Amino acid sequence: MIALLTWRGATSDYDVTAPIAPQRRSKLLLLFLAAASCIWAPALPAWTAVYCGRLRGWQHHAMMPVRLLKAYLAWHLVTAALAPSPSECTASLVLVLGCVSLSHYVKPAWSKARLGPRPWSWAWHNRTHYLVASAYAWGWARFVPAAAVSRLLRRMRVIDRPVNVITMVVEAAGLFAFTDRRFLIAALVATAFFNLAVALASGILFWENIAVNAGFAAAIGLLPRTEYATAFGWPAVLIALTVILLCTADLLWQPWHLGWWDSPFTARVHWQVETVSGAALGLYNGFMCPYEREFGRVEGYFLTDEPVLHGHLGIVWERRLRDLIVEAGADRVQLRALKESHGRTYEDEEQSARHIAFLTAMFLRLNAGTRKSPLPRRLRFLKAPGGQLYRWGDLPAYRGDEPVRRITIRYQERCYLPRTGEFVLIADHVLREIDLGAPKTHQENTTCARSSSTAAPTSEPS
């Protein structure tokens, strides 16, 4: 786990609007503390401070692995103080880590059970294939033709209920996973496959969870029986139930609820660039690392005065609203009425000004030749994957090959029509345009920098 998260923190891109040297030092310090933590567990708090603080590692997809490391540290300190037998040490660690991991799935199952009037309402009434449609509209797997996706969705809708039931069973398996070692291994492997299915369907990749749970299952499978006997059985089940239910009630650590209704309508802010050669390219979240999560989700809503009906990927929290959205389809009048009655406006001029200043500073520095990645070009393939895979759209992706002279921010609404299988673009208008001027070549910037260093400044920069 330390190696996985360190890989992510050490290979993520620099924020080029901030000084690069401190960021480079933080990455080097993370590597040093990771090696120290593998040898001496009490070094973990310092590693956590650098990873979660300086390198912004405390994000949704890394929460479970980081909590596992915190739990390991707590276990290490307690066993060092109490000095139990080796078998009790191993069994207690299995129980502690299992509770932390599986609580991140039991809580979403609980949240889904509370969405409707009955615990099975979500499993029976959610149209999970809408999630695939919304992810495609959002920017996942857009290299697949829309007609092929429509055919896939028509086939998927007949298995919505079986898929929903399997989802809740996998998520709730942690409640009884400690009855037997085989059940715990099965629950961990099932969650790994579940996260893989979520990635294929929606572009949300919990690769940290997949790797950690698969590795945890393998480690438990290799333990000799004498090392884990007391970690399973009804006493262990009761302890695990108590811990997991306290987490579900937000009284210990607090996993995300992750319960919603899927809808086929999405409203999203998109970023585009025009390069010096005149090419129009999409500025997708993969290029915006280390803020790929922000640019892959809904944080751009502060740029528009349009009322927003939903959260990430078209999700809503009322079944009635989902049904009204489906009924409205591509009817702009009905959608406008829905937005006025159920939507929320996030427009914020102060945030918008900061956002534009960030984009302007970022691309001016990239145009001037500032290095974005800590890895040399020939080693870029070693970068850890991101968690939001929305890297496709109507335009080819911008990959930093040319300087940028203009950034355009657009607002788009798209809807998947279940009856016809069409993807319809309902709204598309420009929110902001940022003109960066004619970028200079790297050689011109170097010449200007040398000449300016020999001349005294005559005024403060505006």
Side-chain angles (χ1 to χ4, degrees), residues 96-328:
V96 167
L97 298 186
C99 286
V100 174
S101 173
L102 296 174
S103 66
H104 288 76
Y105 299 93
V106 173
K107 188 169 183 178
W110 170 250
S111 300
K112 293 178 177 69
R114 298 176 63 194
L115 277 174
R118 297 176 179 84
W120 57 86
S121 293
W122 180 88
W124 195 253
H125 295 292
N126 191 52
R127 304 292 179 256
T128 306
H129 70 284
Y130 289 164
L131 176 64
V132 179
S134 296
Y136 183 75
W138 205 266
W140 164 234
R142 292 284 289 279
F143 52 84
V144 180
V149 176
S150 295
R151 290 194 296 270
L152 174 65
L153 292 171
R154 281 195 292 270
R155 294 185 177 96
M156 286 187 64
R157 63 186 178 188
V158 301
I159 61 171
D160 277 344
R161 286 170 180 166
V163 167
N164 295 346
V165 170
I166 292 171
T167 295
M168 294 195 72
V169 168
V170 169
E171 290 180 333
L175 294 173
F176 302 100
F178 289 94
T179 54
D180 186 86
R181 180 178 73 151
R182 291 168 295 183
F183 289 168
L184 178 57
I185 293 174
L188 292 169
V189 172
T191 58
F193 277 106
F194 169 71
N195 282 320
L196 182 59
V198 168
L200 292 174
S202 68
I204 304 173
L205 178 59
F206 283 88
W207 64 268
E208 298 96 331
N209 289 21
I210 294 171
V212 166
N213 280 356
F216 189 21
I220 295 171
L222 293 172
L223 286 175
R225 183 175 181 83
T226 55
E227 293 292 314
Y228 66 79
T230 57
F232 300 98
W234 287 108
V237 169
L238 292 176
I239 294 171
L241 274 174
T242 301
V243 172
I244 291 174
L245 291 178
L246 286 173
C247 293
T248 302
D250 291 333
L251 296 176
L252 290 177
W253 55 88
Q254 298 178 9
W256 287 64
H257 284 274
L258 301 181
W260 58 73
W261 300 97
D262 293 303
S263 84
F265 173 80
T266 59
R268 195 185 176 196
V269 174
H270 292 263
W271 292 263
Q272 301 172 1
V273 298
E274 180 185 337
T275 65
V276 290
S277 67
L281 302 172
L283 184 60
Y284 303 125
N285 66 307
F287 184 80
M288 298 306 293
C289 181
Y291 302 114
E292 61 100 16
R293 177 173 171 81
E294 288 77 8
F295 279 81
R297 286 176 51 83
V298 299
E299 277 75 2
Y301 288 151
F302 56 77
L303 290 159
T304 177
D305 60 358
E306 291 281 351
V308 179
L309 284 171
H310 57 72
H312 186 207
L313 296 180
I315 64 175
V316 297
W317 290 270
E318 296 178 20
R319 180 183 161 198
R320 174 61 178 161
L321 177 56
R322 188 277 311 272
D323 293 341
L324 290 171
I325 290 173
V326 174
E327 181 182 337

Side-chain angles (χ1 to χ4, degrees), residues 289-461:
C289 181
Y291 302 114
E292 61 100 16
R293 177 173 171 81
E294 288 77 8
F295 279 81
R297 286 176 51 83
V298 299
E299 277 75 2
Y301 288 151
F302 56 77
L303 290 159
T304 177
D305 60 358
E306 291 281 351
V308 179
L309 284 171
H310 57 72
H312 186 207
L313 296 180
I315 64 175
V316 297
W317 290 270
E318 296 178 20
R319 180 183 161 198
R320 174 61 178 161
L321 177 56
R322 188 277 311 272
D323 293 341
L324 290 171
I325 290 173
V326 174
E327 181 182 337
D331 189 310
R332 290 180 173 84
V333 175
Q334 290 189 54
L335 286 172
R336 169 54 61 179
L338 273 180
K339 289 196 292 183
E340 294 295 339
S341 60
H342 292 80
R344 177 182 172 187
T345 301
Y346 296 89
E347 186 179 26
D348 188 311
E349 285 301 325
E350 184 179 348
Q351 284 195 66
S352 298
R354 289 203 301 267
H355 181 71
I356 292 170
F358 167 78
L359 289 175
T360 302
M362 174 182 174
F363 279 93
L364 286 176
R365 293 181 185 182
L366 289 177
N367 288 347
T370 301
R371 180 172 167 178
K372 188 170 185 290
S373 174
L375 297 170
R377 184 176 292 275
R378 65 182 181 278
L379 298 179
R380 298 280 170 84
F381 68 94
L382 294 176
K383 182 182 177 182
Q388 307 284 334
L389 306 181
Y390 309 115
R391 299 173 184 179
W392 294 271
D394 298 329
L395 299 172
Y398 176 71
R399 305 186 187 281
D401 297 328
E402 286 188 88
V404 170
R405 66 185 181 192
R406 182 178 291 106
I407 304 168
T408 303
I409 307 175
R410 310 183 73 92
Y411 172 84
Q412 293 183 347
E413 293 178 354
R414 298 177 186 267
C415 189
Y416 167 72
L417 304 180
R419 293 179 183 176
T420 63
E422 295 177 275
F423 288 90
V424 181
L425 179 62
I426 300 170
D428 181 9
H429 58 263
V430 174
L431 299 176
R432 300 285 195 283
E433 283 193 337
I434 307 171
D435 193 349
L436 301 177
K440 298 176 182 178
T441 66
H442 182 63
Q443 183 177 1
E444 288 173 332
N445 276 287
T446 304
T447 303
C448 289
R450 287 173 179 170
S451 61
S452 63
S453 65
T454 61
T458 56
S459 62
E460 291 290 331

